[in-house]
Amino acid sequence: MHGLVTEMFPPVSTYIAFVALLFSGASRSAAIPAATTANDWTTQLWDVIVVGAGPAGIIVADRMSEAGKNTLLLEGGGPSYGITGGTQRPAWLAGTNLSRVDVPGLYSSIFSDQGGMTCSGVVNAFGGCTVGGSSAINAGLFFQPPSSDFDKYFPAGWKYADVKASIARLNSRQPSTTVPSVDGKYYLQEGYNAAKQWLVTGAGYAETDINAQADKKFKVFGHPVYDYFNGQRGGPTTNYLQTALKRANFRLQSGVRVKSITRTAKTSGSSTATPSCPAAQGAKYTDANGFTYSIHCGADNSVGSYAGRAVSNGGSSACFSICDADTANQCIGFSYVGGNSGTCYLKNAEGSYPANSAVTSCFRVAGSSSSSISSATGVIAKVNGVDTAIRLAAGGRVIASGGALQSPQILMYSGIGDPAVLTTLQKGGVLASGMTPSNWINNTAIGAGLFDNPNTFIELQSQAVPSYTYNYSNVNAADASNYLSNRSGPYAFAGQTSVFWSSLAHADGSVVGFQGTIGTSGYADYTNSHTITMNIYGTSGLKSSGKVVLDSNFIPGPSSDVYYSNTQDAQDIATFIRGIFDALPASSFTPLNIPQTASTADILRYITTPSNYARGQVNHWSSSCRLGSCVDVNTTVIGTGNIHVVDGSIVAPLTVNPQMGIMIAAERASELILKL
């Protein structure tokens, strides 16, 4: 699943639970030599073990092996694309080397029968468990985030200037196009033309080449960008994986589900009693990462703060891991203002401590010794039904790339996370027997901040716009012939004909983004021959987020507060929908499920009430292991020396579909890890 990046997944009322401990994966096929025995690779020592062969995992594994590291990429799923041995195909593809995954127009069929490529029962959400992860089952939308996303929402070391080279490397490997049909023609454009009349002519949007002008995200409209090549689905499976497979120091092993990371005990550096003012005045506190701080109650370090970090719970105790992680700014202390929630004002120098009863200041007086940092020694994985230890070589690393739901789970199963969750796992017998509380790495940021775009489907009808429904087996003969002969026609793309963005600025300077796509057919109760679907969702700047929670069977999924837990988000999205309705020409579309005359309040009630069309999961999961609090700027899990997370978990909510952003993050993370 690897940071699920999808388009028009089923809403919450119909979502399907899926498995993805290793999200995505590949079956060894003609392109992947089969292992002779399990022991051939399970007994080898590996420099890098990557858990999950989704878009991020494939990229980072390719880069690690390119650098000469003996790299093992583990995946729990099976084949997908034809080049991986995927053979699922309708009769009209018989005699080709194409699977259903290769043909963009068959994308939506996966949501009907799943084809064994989603993983029901291991994650309480929808996503891919096959080679390529979500990039093998989604629409393939490939939008470059605006530079402002990196500059506003990412820490030092991850600003646009830092990731610009990563974007260039990705673009050099991953083709993309706004004209996916090889014959150079756009197909099924009646909806595009009607939407253009509505949004460009009526609402003042600018028709734009989306990625060529990536920074423009206010009132822009254009053709979607897809990561396709030669009329077929692209993605890291078709490029990065193929180069990795040619190297003798790389192995992809499918059908292997990682349960946990094995790691050394924390022999020193376990945190002392959490300081509490005023009793802690003058005391020394050693945090979970082994750093020792002096405590100054009722006093403020006179050196100015270079950044403020809000904490929602835990009080000043939450600031220690934040400061520890901010190596890029050389954080060595903080001043805290607040109670259980408040703000950590980070400092990189020490001054005097004038009295201030509202402040608690802490300053680092001793660094962490290497023995206080727990190090991974390998992973425990289910191999042929047997729990098997797979070991790292000296100096090796484990990189979790299972996606924003699964990577936090694997950390929790490894004794890293919220101590309340770890206590539950220990009582349930999930943690390893030797994983006692003294060796836990307590961090409430594991799984926190989980984000997904709240989406609303608006069904639109126009007699001037014929709908087009993609079909798995009963395909129009001319369309099938055009695709097979020329890789052209409707089946050369997934069905999104239009895309648009805008934003809303608040008086406090905050900005909320909105994205919309328009497809070729209706949905659910509205499927007549002249109905198409507009999908609207909120993007960057939304205030709502949740966390990864484990159910009674310890299966991960999203908490119930991911969507609209902050009422401002619903108000903003409803205002945006009302605004575009105001510009809808009388001769254009008729909205069916939300009347064009609906007030903002009516729209707000509609989008926040669960239905087939609203409050649904678009399954763009991200942000559950954030840079600076869950992992440091090098993607190292805080409190460990060699465990990393590289997937949608570390990506902040973006203005665009997160697929390209996740790939950019994988390129940047690979660069940083190789420097360690």
Side-chain angles (χ1 to χ4, degrees):
M1 170 165 162
H2 313 290
L4 276 173
V5 280
T6 61
E7 176 67 15
M8 296 188 70
F9 271 6
V12 71
S13 60
T14 57
Y15 79 73
I16 305 168
F18 76 101
V19 174
L21 186 50
L22 301 184
F23 297 100
S24 59
S27 171
R28 295 199 172 252
S29 66
I32 308 171
T36 53
T37 69
N39 289 337
D40 289 341
W41 62 273
T42 60
T43 59
Q44 184 175 340
L45 300 181
W46 298 93
D47 296 326
V48 178
I49 299 173
V50 181
V51 181
I58 288 174
I59 290 174
V60 74
D62 178 50
R63 292 304 189 189
M64 294 298 110
S65 63
E66 179 185 50
K69 307 291 186 183
N70 289 324
T71 303
L72 176 64
L73 177 57
L74 296 175
E75 174 51 49
S80 54
Y81 299 73
I83 57 172
T84 70
T87 58
Q88 288 189 43
R89 60 176 64 95
W92 65 277
L93 292 180
T96 74
N97 61 357
L98 302 176
S99 80
R100 67 190 303 176
V101 169
D102 294 294
V103 181
L106 294 179
Y107 132 81
S108 60
S109 72
I110 295 171
F111 308 123
S112 299
D113 61 25
Q114 301 179 65
M117 290 183 287
T118 61
C119 304
S120 176
V122 175
V123 174
N124 292 322
F126 192 96
C129 182
T130 187
V131 60
S134 60
S135 67
I137 68 168
N138 64 21
L141 295 175
F142 193 71
F143 302 127
Q144 181 173 320
S147 59
S148 58
D149 277 2
F150 296 102
D151 290 338
K152 290 173 63 175
Y153 305 122
F154 284 74
W158 287 79
K159 302 300 185 182
Y160 179 70
D162 303 306
V163 304
K164 190 174 181 180
S166 302
I167 295 171
R169 288 195 299 273
L170 174 62
N171 282 327
S172 72
R173 297 288 301 274
Q174 175 58 66
S176 61
T177 182
T178 60
V179 190
S181 185
V182 171
D183 63 9
K185 299 177 181 178
Y186 289 112
Y187 286 81
L188 310 180
Q189 291 299 289
E190 292 88 351
Y192 182 93
N193 294 333
K196 179 180 176 181
Q197 181 190 14
W198 174 6
L199 296 172
V200 175
T201 304
Y205 280 55
E207 189 173 21
T208 302
D209 185 334
I210 300 301
N211 278 4
Q213 301 183 67
D215 284 351
K216 294 185 177 181
K217 289 294 179 286
F218 178 72
K219 298 186 76 170
V220 294
F221 171 89
H223 289 99
V225 185
Y226 292 98
D227 63 353
Y228 302 162
F229 180 70
N230 195 32
Q232 296 179 200
R233 178 187 293 275
T237 302
T238 66
N239 35 65
Y240 288 88
L241 182 60
Q242 300 311 305
T243 56
L245 286 167
K246 296 175 182 178
R247 301 186 186 109
N249 63 327
F250 174 84
R251 182 180 185 88
L252 168 64
Q253 189 66 40
S254 64
V256 175
R257 194 164 304 286
V258 170
K259 297 177 65 177
S260 63
I261 300 167
T262 57
R263 56 185 180 84
T264 59
K266 292 166 55 181
T267 56
S268 66
S270 296
S271 60
T272 55
T274 303
S276 178
C277 285
Q281 169 60 31
K284 300 291 190 294
Y285 169 67
T286 300
D287 69 12
N289 296 322
F291 293 102
T292 300
Y293 290 79
S294 60
I295 311 301
H296 304 266
C297 298
D300 186 9
N301 180 351
S302 61
V303 171
S305 167
Y306 67 82
R309 299 284 187 266
V311 297
S312 58
N313 61 73
S316 61
S317 297
C319 301
F320 292 104
S321 62
I322 294 173
C323 185
D324 292 351
D326 197 358
T327 57
N329 290 301
Q330 299 181 330
C331 183
I332 51 176
F334 59 86
S335 295
Y336 181 75
V337 178
N340 184 54
S341 62
T343 302
C344 312
Y345 293 97
L346 304 180
K347 316 271 181 147
N348 51 22
E350 184 177 28
S352 59
Y353 290 91
N356 187 330
S357 61
V359 180
T360 297
S361 293
C362 301
F363 189 80
R364 189 182 300 161
V365 295
S368 175
S369 65
S370 60
S371 60
S372 69
I373 298 295
S374 179
S375 295
T377 58
V379 299
I380 299 296
K382 188 76 73 174
V383 181
N384 296 325
V386 178
D387 285 351
T388 303
I390 304 166
R391 296 177 295 159
L392 286 174
R397 299 182 182 277
V398 172
I399 302 174
S401 296
L405 295 171
Q406 282 291 81
S407 285
Q409 184 209 31
I410 198 171
L411 294 178
M412 295 172 190
Y413 276 35
S414 307
I416 306 170
D418 186 330
V421 175
L422 301 184
T423 298
T424 300
L425 291 173
Q426 184 184 49
K427 291 178 179 178
V430 174
L431 298 183
S433 58
M435 186 58 66
T436 60
S438 63
N439 288 316
W440 294 353
I441 298 174
N442 297 326
N443 188 347
T444 57
I446 307 296
L450 179 68
F451 179 81
D452 184 27
N453 304 109
N455 77 302
T456 301
F457 294 166
I458 301 175
E459 302 306 311
L460 303 171
Q461 181 173 281
S462 170
Q463 292 303 307
V465 179
S467 64
Y468 184 94
T469 302
Y470 290 88
N471 194 287
Y472 182 72
S473 55
N474 187 24
V475 180
N476 175 279
D479 291 342
S481 177
N482 198 10
Y483 186 79
L484 290 171
S485 301
N486 308 307
R487 297 295 188 270
S488 298
Y491 278 79
F493 76 113
Q496 287 75 28
T497 62
S498 314
V499 65
F500 57 95
W501 281 268
S502 197
S503 59
L504 173 67
H506 291 292
D508 63 1
S510 62
V511 178
V512 178
F514 313 101
Q515 180 178 326
T517 57
I518 298 177
T520 65
S521 63
Y523 180 70
D525 300 317
Y526 302 95
T527 57
N528 69 36
S529 60
H530 289 277
T531 299
I532 62 175
T533 300
M534 172 184 282
N535 186 9
I536 299 288
Y537 46 84
T539 61
S540 57
L542 294 182
K543 301 179 185 301
S544 301
S545 66
K547 62 182 179 180
V548 177
V549 295
L550 305 180
D551 68 13
S552 59
N553 294 314
F554 311 116
I555 295 172
S559 59
S560 60
D561 54 351
V562 171
Y563 311 104
Y564 302 128
S565 53
N566 188 302
T567 57
Q568 184 65 55
D569 294 346
Q571 182 66 46
D572 290 343
I573 295 171
T575 299
F576 172 71
I577 294 173
R578 181 60 264 164
I580 61 173
F581 275 9
D582 287 341
L584 180 60
S587 60
S588 183
F589 294 109
T590 300
L592 300 178
N593 57 321
I594 303 177
Q596 185 179 354
T597 56
S599 67
T600 301
D602 292 334
I603 297 170
L604 188 151
R605 281 190 293 271
Y606 186 88
I607 67 175
T608 56
T609 302
S611 72
N612 284 333
Y613 312 95
R615 199 183 170 89
Q617 293 176 325
V618 73
N619 292 293
H620 291 171
W621 303 112
S622 69
S623 314
S624 58
C625 187
R626 299 199 181 200
L627 291 160
S629 57
C630 176
V631 296
D632 67 15
V633 293
N634 295 313
T635 72
T636 309
V637 175
I638 293 172
T640 77
N642 62 345
I643 301 173
H644 301 264
V645 176
V646 181
D647 56 26
S649 305
I650 67 171
V651 175
L654 299 174
T655 302
V656 298
N657 293 55
Q659 175 158 266
M660 186 175 182
I662 289 170
M663 295 182 194
I664 293 168
E667 279 282 8
R668 176 60 175 160
S670 299
E671 176 186 5
L672 294 170
I673 292 169
L674 288 170
K675 290 179 179 179
L676 297 177

